[in-house]
Amino acid sequence: MNSKSVYKIPNGKLVKISLEFNSEKIVSVRITGDFFLHPENGIELIENSLKGKKLEKSMLMTAIEKAIAENNLVPFGISSEGIADAVLLAKGNSK
Amino acid sequence: MKEWRLLETDFNDAFTNMAIDEAVNTLHDETKKPTVRFYGWKPSAISIGYFQGVREEVDLERCKELDVDVVRRITGGGAVFHDAELTYSFVCSEKSGVVSKNILDSYKKICNSVVLGLRTLKIDSSFVPINDIISNGQKISGNAQTRRNGNVLQHGTVLMGVDVEKMFSLLLVPDEKMRGKMIEDIKQRVTSVELQLGKKVSFDRVSSAMKKGFEENFEIRLVTGKLTSEEKILAEKIKLERFSNESWTFRR
């Protein structure tokens, strides 16, 4: 299934999600928006870290936090919780 | 007093503008003087942030009709309509210690040049994290930074005039029913040199004010220089291979 969301992260920027998933697991996710992430190509590392993950908030947050820590990424205007919430909103929008 | 290089490259198309910023950053190192560049956009252009989806943000057909370039930046942040504005860019090496390793602190430091430049024009403003400068509660400058090759590149706008209606005719909004309200909201939230002073100010006047702002802020002297031939050649290559290439523009 494919679905999308637009989510304003509290105290952060606007995040847009394109989500492809099946039976509660993520096939792929695309994160776009007006946020900052250093270095910029880290966004693909975050997107890839979510592949195959269950659509549960804590699972998503752990995966994102791991990608950020392992690759020394510095985000501004987005957070692991903000991205996880946006992804789950996209899932909700498919119904 | 230390001397830095000032580049005044006047008006160029979006792809050339973004390619020059990247080329200067790529070829910079700590043995070279930091560079400050002032420029404008001809034709007018929309730039989108590194992470934005171009089809989500921009009315591409409308841009084509109105001869407005569309370019993806190598910096994050939002979509900008570059029309009546002066754009600056700033490049220094991280090792130089000119700005903090801490990204938010460095935004504040570099943006303070714009605040001081606006003060020269008798406009009060202040930096608001992450990346805005506001005057009387309204945004007058947006800024974006990237760090690559051991260098800091920050570019930003100084709005000289603002046409919110035109800007929104080129951008997509999440909900068409909200377009009118969004235009009214943005009108409340954005200002310009012209609106603050009640008169038009020339590009050259704003440019010399910003020059003063950078000089005061960093306690340096800006000396007019030129792009090196190496920078020109690299900028041409980056323009062709990246910024005017659809695979870059449409990658998100």
Side-chain angles (χ1 to χ4, degrees), chain B residues 91-141:
Chain B
V91 172
C92 74
S93 116
E94 287 186 297
K95 278 189 197 155
S96 68
V98 165
V99 297
S100 169
K101 290 223 179 324
N102 178 289
I103 292 173
L104 284 186
D105 289 347
S106 68
Y107 264 110
K108 184 175 183 181
K109 177 70 185 178
I110 300 164
C111 286
N112 192 48
S113 312
V114 177
V115 171
L116 293 174
L118 288 169
R119 193 169 296 164
T120 303
L121 295 171
K122 302 203 162 44
I123 296 171
D124 274 328
S125 65
S126 57
F127 171 71
V128 178
I130 305 167
N131 59 325
D132 289 335
I133 295 166
I134 61 157
S135 179
N136 290 314
Q138 297 168 300
K139 179 165 167 172
I140 195 163
S141 163

Side-chain angles (χ1 to χ4, degrees), chain A residues 19 55-57 60 83-93:
Chain A
L19 176 68
L55 282 155
E56 281 173 12
K57 186 163 174 176
L60 300 181
I83 296 170
D85 285 340
V87 169
L88 293 174
L89 183 64
K91 182 200 169 205
N93 287 344

Side-chain angles (χ1 to χ4, degrees), chain B residues 54-67:
Chain B
V54 66
R55 290 181 200 81
E56 292 168 351
E57 304 294 336
V58 185
D59 186 336
L60 293 161
E61 272 182 30
R62 190 85 184 125
C63 286
K64 212 173 219 175
E65 277 169 30
L66 296 181
D67 191 28

Side-chain angles (χ1 to χ4, degrees), chain B:
Chain B
M1 195 175 272
K2 279 190 183 160
E3 292 186 349
W4 289 3
R5 179 174 64 158
L6 174 65
L7 295 175
E8 291 164 299
T9 55
D10 293 326
F11 293 79
N12 279 295
D13 66 65
F15 316 109
T16 305
N17 274 336
M18 292 296 91
I20 293 173
D21 278 358
E22 184 173 345
V24 170
N25 181 70
T26 302
L27 294 172
H28 191 74
D29 63 56
E30 70 273 18
T31 67
K32 296 185 177 139
K33 293 169 182 168
T35 292
V36 176
R37 175 180 167 226
F38 298 131
Y39 56 101
W41 306 69
K42 206 169 193 172
S44 299
I46 299 267
S47 77
I48 57 165
Y50 183 101
F51 307 103
Q52 290 189 298
V54 66
R55 290 181 200 81
E56 292 168 351
E57 304 294 336
V58 185
D59 186 336
L60 293 161
E61 272 182 30
R62 190 85 184 125
C63 286
K64 212 173 219 175
E65 277 169 30
L66 296 181
D67 191 28
V68 170
D69 287 341
V70 178
V71 68
R72 178 183 300 281
R73 299 189 306 270
I74 56 170
T75 51
V80 180
F81 176 42
H82 304 279
D83 192 21
E85 73 166 48
L86 174 137
T87 311
Y88 77 84
S89 64
F90 166 92
V91 172
C92 74
S93 116
E94 287 186 297
K95 278 189 197 155
S96 68
V98 165
V99 297
S100 169
K101 290 223 179 324
N102 178 289
I103 292 173
L104 284 186
D105 289 347
S106 68
Y107 264 110
K108 184 175 183 181
K109 177 70 185 178
I110 300 164
C111 286
N112 192 48
S113 312
V114 177
V115 171
L116 293 174
L118 288 169
R119 193 169 296 164
T120 303
L121 295 171
K122 302 203 162 44
I123 296 171
D124 274 328
S125 65
S126 57
F127 171 71
V128 178
I130 305 167
N131 59 325
D132 289 335
I133 295 166
I134 61 157
S135 179
N136 290 314
Q138 297 168 300
K139 179 165 167 172
I140 195 163
S141 163
N143 304 272
Q145 185 184 126
T146 181
R147 297 196 172 203
R148 31 184 97 194
N149 318 308
N151 299 321
V152 179
L153 164 64
Q154 182 168 311
H155 43 208
T157 64
V158 179
L159 283 168
M160 295 169 48
V162 59
D163 185 342
V164 176
E165 313 268 350
K166 186 171 183 198
M167 179 172 90
F168 266 90
S169 77
L170 300 164
L171 296 176
L172 299 175
V173 295
D175 181 354
E176 271 307 319
K177 283 174 286 183
M178 297 295 283
R179 184 179 282 272
K181 191 185 175 303
M182 281 189 70
I183 290 175
E184 288 316 306
D185 277 1
I186 299 286
K187 276 185 184 167
Q188 300 298 316
R189 287 187 358 229
V190 176
T191 188
S192 65
V193 171
E194 183 181 353
L195 284 170
Q196 287 301 309
L197 296 178
K199 62 175 184 197
K200 277 195 164 50
V201 177
S202 72
F203 183 90
D204 289 347
R205 178 93 201 285
V206 176
S207 173
S208 59
M210 291 304 137
K211 181 182 174 207
K212 261 181 109 173
F214 274 93
E215 288 180 330
E216 275 177 40
N217 187 37
F218 287 101
E219 298 177 359
I220 50 98
R221 205 163 75 83
L222 284 175
V223 177
T224 301
K226 282 183 182 168
L227 286 167
T228 64
S229 55
E230 202 185 0
E231 285 169 333
K232 277 188 197 162
I233 291 164
L234 181 60
E236 199 54 39
K237 183 174 147 76
I238 292 172
K239 176 184 169 178
L240 287 174
E241 290 176 3
R242 192 201 287 277
F243 292 108
S244 60
N245 188 326
E246 292 206 336
S247 69
W248 170 253
T249 312
F250 287 87
R251 75 196 300 246
R252 282 186 168 263

